[in-house]
Amino acid sequence: MRKYLLLFLVTILTFGLAAQSINVPLPKSLRSGNNGNSKSETEYENRKVHFLTGGNFGINFGLPNYIGFQFQPKFGIQPLNWLVIGVNGTYILDWRIIEKTTYHTFSVNPFVEAYLFKNQLLLHASYEFVNYPIISYSYDSYGNVTSVSRERISSHCVLVGAGYHTQISAHSSINATVLFPVYQKNSLNDSHRNYYAAWYQPIVRVGYNYSF
């Protein structure tokens, strides 16, 4: 757990330094009030509700046998500067280390995010409906692993977490988040709930947002 948290803190620091280096004020001659985009920029600033799109890349670990690589497009509305309500669609490439095989997981998850303390502290909560494979194995006398059966099940999950958010331009922002599953229940009986969990913690995600 400590090494994952250290990795997350290093990621936040890296993104913070990068944001500081590229968030340079534009010259007056290029600002929206002095170019052809002034009308659209004014309409954007006056709009009460903004829309947001973008995506996340994530990774989570179920060591020693599981690593999940996540690709997550997102869309939302921003009724306030510090609040986003939206939905993600997630594709996860599951790498099973022991049998050296990949599997595919899909999820849909409405979410809420809040940006506090000068929009730098990100708080996240989401409900996720996940469809994923479970695999049964057999072991021979030499310790070799063979996949015996495979089926797909579904799980209801609640994720919560926090991270770092920063603006890199008037419309663009980046974030880094670490999430933890606080509730999981799948379509199997309760005795298998933990063994066949959809999420292994922690879940680290890095994303880009564009508001319009």
Side-chain angles (χ1 to χ4, degrees):
M1 177 66 73
R2 289 183 179 178
K3 64 180 181 181
Y4 298 145
L5 293 178
L6 179 60
L7 175 63
F8 175 65
L9 292 175
V10 171
T11 301
I12 289 178
L13 179 60
T14 301
F15 271 81
L17 293 175
Q20 293 297 324
S21 64
I22 62 179
N23 191 14
V24 179
L26 291 172
K28 290 184 178 181
S29 60
L30 298 179
R31 293 178 185 172
S32 59
N34 296 303
N35 58 33
N37 295 328
S38 58
K39 182 177 179 180
S40 61
E41 289 298 322
T42 301
E43 292 176 349
Y44 171 81
E45 293 173 358
N46 292 336
R47 191 181 305 155
K48 292 183 178 180
V49 177
H50 298 291
F51 298 94
L52 180 141
T53 188
N56 298 318
F57 171 77
I59 187 169
N60 68 301
F61 304 91
L63 298 176
N65 188 41
Y66 169 87
I67 300 177
F69 301 96
Q70 306 167 32
F71 306 91
Q72 189 176 63
K74 66 190 298 185
F75 181 82
I77 60 173
Q78 195 167 4
L80 301 169
N81 289 336
W82 56 270
L83 180 66
V84 175
I85 303 170
V87 63
N88 294 322
T90 307
Y91 165 72
I92 305 170
L93 181 65
D94 297 334
W95 170 246
R96 305 300 170 98
I97 300 171
I98 295 176
E99 64 270 27
K100 298 181 180 179
T101 307
T102 57
Y103 300 96
H104 309 283
T105 295
F106 307 92
S107 78
V108 176
N109 42 295
F111 70 90
V112 176
E113 286 183 347
Y115 308 138
L116 306 177
F117 298 105
K118 298 183 179 180
N119 284 355
Q120 292 183 334
L121 173 63
L122 184 157
L123 300 180
H124 175 101
S126 61
Y127 159 78
E128 306 206 354
F129 178 79
V130 190
N131 182 267
Y132 56 102
I134 60 173
I135 303 94
S136 298
Y137 306 101
S138 66
Y139 299 84
D140 61 22
S141 58
Y142 298 99
N144 297 317
V145 181
T146 302
S147 175
V148 176
S149 64
R150 184 193 312 177
E151 63 176 303
R152 299 191 69 88
I153 64 173
S154 298
S155 183
H156 302 275
C157 309
V158 176
L159 303 181
V160 298
Y164 180 79
H165 171 268
T166 186
Q167 290 290 135
I168 58 176
S169 72
H171 297 270
S172 301
S173 63
I174 55 176
N175 55 52
T177 314
V178 61
L179 304 174
F180 298 90
V182 296
Y183 174 83
Q184 298 192 73
K185 184 175 183 180
N186 62 39
S187 53
L188 298 178
N189 59 58
D190 288 344
S191 64
H192 294 91
R193 184 175 66 244
N194 294 326
Y195 185 77
Y196 293 124
W199 292 114
Y200 299 95
Q201 57 187 3
I203 305 160
V204 179
R205 291 176 179 167
V206 178
Y208 169 82
N209 306 314
Y210 183 84
S211 61
F212 59 95

